[in-house]
Amino acid sequence: ALDANPRALTASVAQRAPTLARVLARALDSDPERRPSAREVASTLAEVQRSRPSDEAALEPSPFRGLAPFGVKDSAFFFGRDEEVDELLARLHDQPRVTVVGPSGSGKSSLCRAGALPRLVEQGAAILELRPGPRPFARLARRLLDLWPATMRELAGIPVVDERRLESNLEEEAAAFANALRERPQLLGVALRQVARAGEHALVLLVDQLEELITLVDDAETRHRFLVALAGAADEPEEPLRLLLTARDDFIARIAE
């Protein structure tokens, strides 16, 4: 991210592009007569761009996400919300379930994914992250099988079809597990508690953009069962298991119905 101090920015640029750093330093001069023209700035920028290796330009991450939310990999560029992150972590410490609610575009996902999750990982927590999508149980089942395959197969009573783990077999297992989770919503809590107790640190399940249950899932019974599964997944403050949700404020009433 760009430093709030322009002098520090100039010093940082000087390490890679001394010519550009000199132009920037002149642009910050208090005397307008000493500042470079727009043509000189444009020319310098073009020269710097030409001198950069194309692979470096392609691989260097941009701190500007536009309208997209910040993710865990963008945490180095996520600034200015330390107090909110601290408050969120404090609530997760004391409460088994925490829901971050706000208008669309207010930064709920970024706060959780780029703010809270990296801090939780630093503390040793395991993270399970997903959005409901149009088939929430299928998505949940696949994520659980990807992370803890042996535990999930045993709990759901799914036999190992082929030790070569062909993609078709994985799809069959995921479909069977998704059906088990839907038919027995309490299975999610059982599975996550078993994983959490086996580890030395907490397990955090982040379900981002919970409103997708309303906007993408047509079947009311599936919506209800998924919410029942989440409600039973984390309900004891003493357990090393936490549920973190984000939802748009204009969908909260419909989600709670």
Side-chain angles (χ1 to χ4, degrees), residues 5 10 13 20 24 44 70 86 89 104 116 124 136 142 171 177 182 185 196 203 208 211 213 215 224 242 253 257:
N5 185 340
T10 302
V13 172
L20 178 58
L24 287 175
T44 303
F70 284 80
D86 290 341
L89 293 175
S104 176
R142 189 59 187 263
E171 291 298 333
F177 191 28
R182 188 183 187 281
L203 169 61
D208 193 19
E211 66 272 6
L213 285 179
T215 61
H224 171 71
R242 292 295 184 264
E257 289 178 356

Side-chain angles (χ1 to χ4, degrees), residues 13 16 25 47 68 94 98 104 147 150 152 155 164 167 184 205 212 234 251 257:
V13 172
R16 287 191 172 186
E47 179 184 345
D94 297 333
V98 176
S104 176
L147 292 172
M152 299 306 144
L155 286 173
R164 291 175 297 174
E167 183 65 24
R184 297 154 50 201
L205 168 59
E212 287 187 351
F251 280 91
E257 289 178 356

Side-chain angles (χ1 to χ4, degrees), residues 35-256:
R35 296 173 190 167
S37 65
R39 183 185 297 274
E40 183 179 356
V41 172
S43 175
T44 303
L45 288 172
E47 179 184 345
V48 170
Q49 185 64 32
R50 287 193 298 270
S51 66
R52 293 179 63 189
S54 57
D55 59 340
E56 179 186 350
L59 294 175
E60 184 174 331
S62 170
F64 304 107
R65 299 290 296 139
L67 296 177
F70 284 80
V72 174
K73 295 181 180 180
D74 305 309
S75 60
F77 306 126
F78 187 72
F79 294 98
R81 303 183 70 178
D82 290 344
E83 291 185 5
E84 293 173 87
V85 172
D86 290 341
E87 180 181 355
L88 178 55
L89 293 175
R91 293 194 181 193
L92 280 172
H93 181 271
D94 297 333
Q95 303 172 23
R97 295 191 298 266
V98 176
T99 304
V100 179
V101 180
S104 176
S106 60
K108 303 178 296 297
S109 297
S110 298
L111 176 67
C112 294
R113 298 176 65 222
L117 291 194
R119 295 264 295 272
L120 290 166
V121 170
E122 289 176 359
Q123 297 169 13
I127 305 296
L128 171 58
E129 178 186 356
L130 75 149
R131 289 170 53 176
R135 300 169 59 210
F137 282 110
R139 186 167 292 185
L140 177 61
R142 189 59 187 263
R143 292 288 292 121
L144 288 168
L145 283 169
D146 285 344
L147 292 172
W148 304 287
T151 299
M152 299 306 144
R153 286 194 214 103
E154 180 180 355
L155 286 173
I158 301 173
V160 178
V161 180
D162 191 323
E163 293 184 355
R164 291 175 297 174
R165 315 306 309 133
L166 298 177
E167 183 65 24
S168 59
N169 296 334
L170 292 175
E171 291 298 333
E172 290 178 10
E173 289 182 352
F177 191 28
N179 184 63
L181 288 168
R182 188 183 187 281
E183 295 303 313
R184 297 154 50 201
Q186 70 276 12
L187 183 61
L188 175 61
V190 173
L192 294 181
R193 288 187 190 92
Q194 183 163 328
V195 171
R197 290 168 181 167
E200 298 180 357
H201 298 282
L203 169 61
V204 179
L205 168 59
L206 168 62
V207 181
D208 193 19
Q209 300 190 32
L210 190 61
E211 66 272 6
E212 287 187 351
L213 285 179
I214 305 298
T215 61
L216 298 180
V217 180
D218 295 328
D219 182 54
E221 184 64 20
T222 297
R223 294 197 297 265
H224 171 71
R225 287 175 176 266
F226 191 76
L227 290 172
V228 169
L230 293 180
D235 51 13
E236 293 292 338
E238 294 78 16
E239 291 279 359
L241 177 60
R242 292 295 184 264
L243 174 62
L244 178 58
L245 308 169
T246 74
R248 279 171 45 180
D249 54 1
D250 51 340
F251 280 91
I252 283 295
R254 296 178 62 185
I255 291 173

